[in-house]
Amino acid sequence: MRKVMLMLLTSIVFLSLISGCAGGGSTNSKNEAANNKGNSNSEKVTIKIMDFKTEITDKIKAMTADYMALNPNVNIEAQVTSNYDTLLKTRFAAGDGPDIFMTRAYTDIQDWSDRLVDLSDEPWMDKVVPSAEPGMTVDGKKLGFPLAVEGYGFIYNKDLFSKAGINNVPTTLTELKEVNEKLKAAQISSYSEGYKSFWVLGQHLFNLPFAFEKDPAATIGKMYKGEAGISDLTNLNGFFDVLDMTIQYGKGTDTIGLSYDNQVSDFASGKTAMMQQGVWAIDSITKINPNMNIGMFAIPLNDNPEDTKMPIGVSTYYSISKESKALDESKKFLSWLHENGQKYIVDSYKMIPAFTDLKTIPELGPLAEDLNTYLTENKTLIWSFQLWPSGIAEDFAVPLQAYVGAQYDKDQTIKELQDIWNQKVKK
């Protein structure tokens, strides 16, 4: 635990990303054709990949198909699943672990570190944005391939806001309540929330009271030691106020039955004015409504507008298992993905790149534009859930879902959340 805490307390993300995201485009490897020609006569190799970015499943499948077409000796088995953490552990326990799999910054990388290949000397590592390095570094070893700079808040329908007479996005809790009342008066449903998806509720939304702390790492460090508890979070009441609003001005207790797909569908079809999501949702939204007039704002938890900032960071990485039987091919694949990152990570996945030699594009859309505004103004929060015990977000979602379903009151919910924390820390 001391090893974990040392990393948690010293590796805070400072988001020096703007210059990184504005770098020049990449080019394909000049040796690719020669390599492919040589590979065509090589023994068939299978690369197993696991990914939890279900919102871009089709894009991932298309990317891997392109790689296989260029490398006839390689077969890629890509599994994209929402039941990621449980399935990943099950596969490793059964001796069928993937060669390449997604890891999350800080705690998750630390927990998997003994199984991961050191990628420090890979050719693309010197192009990684500085803020991506702390979350993937353990004992001086860099264990991940960063995918994107991401951020989240309330995505909103500008046309519905205008219809309700709302001219400015809220920056305080009181203003958020006023926005909801104006939408209600205009007979517009405020929210579509996918609380059936654990990460929407137990990870991203519940991240906020931790991230709002003046020193999130210090607070979480005290929680690991038993010197502080969830009830001590300064803005915990504000978190429950926001959660209550999403229930009251949304779909009520039925919200716990809505998944990410339901949430996006309701929002993109104009049924609701807001949803708590991030820049990754742009592709899912535009598939349904390509001309939708949308934006994104930070979620307030109190009435001090200076505290209202957006959680932004490099959250996910591809890592390679030490147990891989296709180690060299897995490394080649990641190098190829970087070399072709402009086409896949940026143009296809619609992600803000975490490499200095990849560039953002206007097609990333208004959500990326709003995120960049918060970056430019230095109004950012860290992704505090990356400092939590590994896998706890899925457990946190259970009592929070019970609260949304009116099965628990606030006190019971906080007690259950604290019990979960205590159990995880003891392990």
Side-chain angles (χ1 to χ4, degrees):
M1 181 59 66
R2 261 179 311 195
K3 184 179 179 183
V4 175
M5 286 308 306
L6 179 62
M7 186 182 74
L8 298 182
L9 296 176
T10 59
S11 299
I12 299 300
V13 181
F14 291 94
L15 292 163
S16 54
L17 297 171
I18 301 169
S19 61
C21 292
S26 63
T27 58
N28 292 335
S29 170
K30 294 179 180 179
N31 296 323
E32 185 174 337
N35 289 339
N36 291 338
K37 183 177 180 180
N39 287 341
S40 64
N41 297 318
S42 302
E43 182 179 349
K44 196 79 171 178
V45 176
T46 295
I47 301 175
K48 299 176 182 178
I49 299 176
M50 273 193 71
D51 196 304
F52 54 71
K53 289 284 186 182
T54 55
E55 68 272 18
I56 55 169
T57 299
D58 57 335
K59 307 290 187 181
I60 294 169
K61 298 287 187 182
M63 179 270 293
T64 56
D66 287 350
Y67 187 81
M68 288 187 286
L70 291 168
N71 298 271
N73 70 305
V74 178
N75 176 54
I76 296 181
E77 297 177 0
Q79 183 176 24
V80 187
T81 176
S82 58
N83 188 32
Y84 183 81
D85 294 296
T86 300
L87 188 56
L88 181 63
K89 292 175 182 177
T90 300
R91 285 188 58 176
F92 270 111
D96 184 35
D99 303 288
I100 299 172
F101 61 102
M102 266 194 163
T103 48
R104 302 178 184 89
Y106 295 99
T107 303
D108 197 42
I109 286 272
Q110 170 73 40
D111 287 350
W112 285 100
S113 60
D114 290 343
R115 289 182 178 266
L116 303 182
V117 173
D118 184 1
L119 302 174
S120 301
D121 296 328
E122 291 304 294
W124 42 264
M125 189 59 76
D126 64 351
K127 299 296 192 299
V128 170
V129 297
S131 59
E133 294 186 15
M136 66 171 174
T137 304
V138 180
D139 295 334
K141 299 176 181 178
K142 298 174 183 178
L143 304 176
F145 175 101
L147 277 173
V149 177
E150 297 180 310
Y152 66 93
F154 276 142
I155 300 175
Y156 69 106
N157 184 322
K158 292 184 177 181
D159 292 335
L160 290 183
F161 266 45
S162 179
K163 182 178 179 181
I166 303 166
N167 300 316
N168 298 298
V169 298
T171 59
T172 67
L173 204 56
T174 296
E175 290 174 356
L176 182 62
K177 180 67 178 290
E178 291 170 353
V179 163
N180 283 306
E181 285 295 321
K182 286 183 178 181
L183 289 167
K184 181 180 179 181
Q187 297 184 320
I188 298 170
S189 178
S190 290
Y191 298 101
S192 176
E193 296 302 342
Y195 290 157
K196 181 180 178 181
S197 299
F198 83 88
W199 54 275
V200 177
L201 179 57
Q203 183 167 288
H204 286 176
L205 191 60
F206 195 45
N207 170 73
L208 293 178
F210 291 83
F212 265 67
E213 290 289 295
K214 289 184 179 179
D215 188 342
T219 297
I220 294 172
K222 290 180 180 179
M223 291 177 66
Y224 271 98
K225 296 176 184 177
E227 297 173 356
I230 287 173
S231 61
D232 296 315
L233 295 171
T234 306
N235 289 282
L236 187 63
N237 287 333
F239 161 77
F240 277 100
D241 287 342
V242 171
L243 183 55
D244 288 343
M245 285 186 215
T246 66
I247 301 167
Q248 178 185 350
Y249 297 97
K251 297 184 180 297
T253 58
D254 290 343
T255 302
I256 57 174
L258 298 180
S259 67
Y260 168 81
D261 290 338
N262 300 138
Q263 174 187 30
V264 172
S265 178
D266 282 350
F267 176 77
S269 58
K271 294 179 181 179
T272 54
M274 290 181 279
M275 68 171 181
Q276 180 230 307
Q277 275 302 333
V279 291
W280 52 82
I282 187 66
D283 198 43
S284 300
I285 294 169
T286 54
K287 276 183 181 176
I288 299 170
N289 191 344
N291 299 313
M292 195 171 189
N293 189 15
I294 60 175
M296 182 170 65
F297 62 88
I299 301 172
L301 293 190
N302 59 42
D303 278 338
N304 181 5
E306 296 302 314
D307 288 346
T308 302
K309 302 175 182 179
M310 183 172 289
I312 299 174
V314 177
S315 62
T316 54
Y317 304 80
Y318 277 138
S319 295
I320 298 178
S321 169
K322 286 181 178 177
E323 301 170 15
S324 172
K325 296 178 181 178
L327 180 57
D328 289 341
E329 288 295 339
S330 295
K331 287 183 176 181
K332 288 178 184 178
F333 170 79
L334 291 184
S335 291
W336 174 86
L337 183 56
H338 167 251
E339 290 165 4
N340 295 275
Q342 197 67 42
K343 176 179 179 180
Y344 296 106
I345 297 173
V346 181
D347 296 346
S348 179
Y349 296 178
K350 299 293 190 295
M351 291 179 174
I352 301 171
F355 290 93
T356 59
D357 58 338
L358 303 182
K359 60 182 180 180
T360 57
I361 56 173
E363 287 76 15
L364 291 180
L367 304 185
E369 189 175 323
D370 286 342
L371 179 150
N372 196 57
T373 297
Y374 282 92
L375 274 174
T376 303
E377 297 176 357
N378 198 28
K379 294 181 178 180
T380 62
L381 302 172
I382 69 167
W383 293 38
S384 296
F385 62 80
Q386 295 172 338
L387 308 179
W388 296 348
S390 184
I392 200 172
E394 196 163 359
D395 296 332
F396 275 160
V398 177
L400 290 171
Q401 288 167 339
Y403 178 82
V404 173
Q407 298 169 10
Y408 287 169
D409 62 17
K410 183 161 73 172
D411 290 340
Q412 178 65 20
T413 303
I414 294 171
K415 179 183 181 302
E416 293 293 327
L417 291 168
Q418 186 63 56
D419 288 346
I420 290 169
W421 179 274
N422 293 342
Q423 292 165 10
K424 282 286 187 179
V425 169
K426 287 179 182 178
K427 290 182 178 179

